[in-house]
Amino acid sequence: MKRLKLFILILHVAFIAYAQKQDHVWIFGDSCGMSFQTGIPQLLDSIRINSVECSASIADSSGNLLFYVGPENNNFDSLKIWNNNLQVMPNGSGIYGYASATQGALIIPFPDDPLKYYLFTILPTVTGFGSNLHYSIIDMSLNGGLGDVTVRNNLLSNLFFSEKLEAVKHGTGIVTGK
C-alpha cells in the first residue's frame, strides 16, 4: 500500500511539474478517451477511433485536445486524423499506418513552428517482413484553427522498423527519435 501511495504521489508531482500539457489527453482503444486537463481524469465520449493498438493524440500547452489519429472501425490498412471537433481533417483519411502496430503513430511538434506537427506512422511491407516509416504534416493554422493535413504519406525510410515509435527531447531542446 505504501508503494501505491508513493507511486500516486510521484505521478501527481510529475503532472504538476510538467508545464506543457500536450500529453493531457489520451485517445485509445474502442472509442475511449481520457482528459487530465483538470488534474482529475475525465472520460471523453464520442471519440471516433476503434483501434486494437495504434493511436496518438496531442493537446495544446493548456491541455486542450488539438487532434488525434487512429483507425476507424478497426480498419487495419489506414488511419484517419480527427480534429478537436471530432471531425476528420481535410486530407486526413487514408493515412498510411497499421491498426495493430503497438506504438505505430507518433506526433511531434515542429521545433520552429508551434502550429505544425509531424505525424510518423509505421506500415508493414506487403511481404510482412520489415516496414515502411512514413510522415505527414498537420498545420493547425488552417481550416479555421481546426487543422489540415498539408503533406500526406511521404516515405521516410523503408528499412526495418519495429512497431514501437518513440521520441525523446534532447537536453539542448532538439527532438530526436528512433
Side-chain angles (χ1 to χ4, degrees), residues 32-85:
C32 294
M34 300 275 305
S35 173
F36 298 89
Q37 185 178 17
T38 63
I40 299 169
Q42 296 177 339
L43 184 64
L44 301 176
D45 53 8
S46 303
I47 300 302
R48 302 294 303 266
I49 69 169
N50 184 352
S51 178
V52 175
E53 297 168 307
C54 180
S55 64
S57 59
I58 193 154
D60 64 17
S61 60
S62 299
N64 301 306
L65 177 66
L66 290 174
F67 64 92
Y68 63 97
V69 60
E72 184 176 42
N73 300 325
N74 248 343
N75 180 353
F76 279 80
D77 298 330
S78 68
L79 307 175
K80 289 185 177 182
I81 302 172
W82 287 270
N83 61 30
N84 64 2
N85 284 344

Side-chain angles (χ1 to χ4, degrees), residues 137-149:
I137 296 176
I138 295 92
D139 187 341
M140 296 304 296
S141 69
L142 302 175
N143 194 24
L146 295 173
D148 192 342
V149 182

Side-chain angles (χ1 to χ4, degrees), residues 125-130:
T125 60
V126 175
T127 63
F129 299 102

